[in-house]
Amino acid sequence: MSELNMELSSGIAAFEAKEFARAMQLLEPLAEQGDPQAQYRVAIMAQVGLGMVKNCARAVKWMRAAAEQGFGLAQHGLGFMYFQGECTRADPAEAARWFRLAADQGLAGSQSTLAMMYEKGVGVERDAAEAAKWRALAEKDSGASPATS
């Protein structure tokens, strides 16, 4: 196991153990080096204020960096930020774009959110067929995938 992988594993373990100051210390340098798993967790800590003062600018920066690398959980997280107007302006169309990218990777939480958006015409044109498609995928994938919402 490389030194970077050990640092990432240690950082994730600290994050899971709610040792957020230690997690930030280990993960932020890896986020700076472009690791999407580290970027995602640093974003969460900044967004919620875990082990640091809540910092929306850092939260959006790191969530977007991980999302742009195709990290599904970060795509969902960024979609949620735009959907709720959390740490950024609310932008339902931008939310739908990120939820779709995560949904395409099989994240049931993104699929069901996208289904609701198509049902109600939020950020997308109302489309019952699209809604039904995403709802069915969400139900299928929620049984198979540990990566829900």
Side-chain angles (χ1 to χ4, degrees), residues 57-139:
R58 276 168 85 185
V60 172
K61 170 190 164 183
W62 291 122
M63 194 69 78
R64 178 178 300 284
E68 286 173 349
Q69 291 191 69
F71 193 63
L73 290 171
Q75 292 170 336
H76 179 83
L78 192 59
F80 191 81
M81 286 175 157
Y82 280 113
F83 188 70
Q84 298 284 2
E86 165 81 21
C87 278
T88 188
R89 75 190 188 294
D91 184 337
E94 189 68 3
R97 184 170 86 83
W98 289 107
F99 282 134
R100 176 179 292 275
L101 289 168
D104 284 341
Q105 293 195 51
L107 268 72
S110 292
Q111 292 167 341
S112 59
T113 303
L114 207 50
M116 178 276 296
M117 292 175 86
Y118 276 110
E119 282 164 10
K120 297 184 170 154
V122 176
V124 291
E125 288 292 314
R126 184 176 263 166
D127 185 329
E130 269 303 280
K133 176 187 104 171
W134 289 112
R135 175 91 47 232
L137 282 169
E139 286 165 8

Side-chain angles (χ1 to χ4, degrees), residues 30-80:
L30 299 175
E32 297 282 357
Q33 291 167 32
D35 185 282
Q37 293 186 66
Q39 291 169 339
Y40 172 70
R41 285 170 179 85
V42 170
I44 295 290
M45 290 186 282
Q47 182 181 358
V48 183
L50 303 170
M52 62 182 296
V53 175
K54 179 175 171 158
N55 184 320
C56 278
R58 276 168 85 185
V60 172
K61 170 190 164 183
W62 291 122
M63 194 69 78
R64 178 178 300 284
E68 286 173 349
Q69 291 191 69
F71 193 63
L73 290 171
Q75 292 170 336
H76 179 83
L78 192 59
F80 191 81

